[in-house]
Amino acid sequence: ISRELGIPVAEALERTRASLQREGFGILFEINLDEKMKEKLGVDFRRYVILGACNPGIAYQSLQEEIGLGLLLPCNVIVYEGTETGRSVVAAIDARKMMEVTGNAKLGGAAAEVNEMLERVIAGV
């Protein structure tokens, strides 16, 4: 699920945080990958932020069905600088595909719900 925007990364990031909140997601962590690349490797990398988003209710419900699901949580949403100056990209993981690796069909409904929410998040940025 992704969308390219004609706005700078800082603005896209702000809008993404707000859109996640509107859909009931909390942000558990934020990784500025470009800063980590500079710190760890001494290389410059385009602005790239990973947001670890989680809807507590759905996460709790899903963990009741599959305790090992924590390996796949949270849902990552990325915001990064596009190839053109002044443009950015916002993308989210496909929860259905992610949940398929568990082999637990009981998670299908939760995955579909999360995907619908993430689609609204991306559309709302």
Side-chain angles (χ1 to χ4, degrees), residues 14-73:
E14 185 178 310
R15 288 184 186 185
T16 301
R17 287 186 195 110
S19 192
L20 283 164
Q21 186 176 20
R22 283 191 302 273
E23 285 296 325
F25 286 93
I27 298 174
L28 301 178
F29 63 80
E30 186 170 319
I31 301 170
N32 292 300
L33 197 58
D34 53 309
E35 292 176 8
K36 291 297 177 189
M37 295 285 190
K38 186 69 168 178
E39 175 188 330
K40 302 292 184 185
L41 301 174
V43 298
D44 291 322
F45 193 72
R46 72 175 86 182
R47 185 89 161 96
Y48 197 109
V49 179
I50 303 169
L51 301 172
C54 181
N55 179 292
I58 296 173
Y60 177 75
Q61 173 190 354
S62 297
L63 285 164
Q64 300 306 306
E65 297 294 338
E66 183 69 48
I67 194 65
L69 186 64
L71 291 168
L72 302 174
L73 295 177

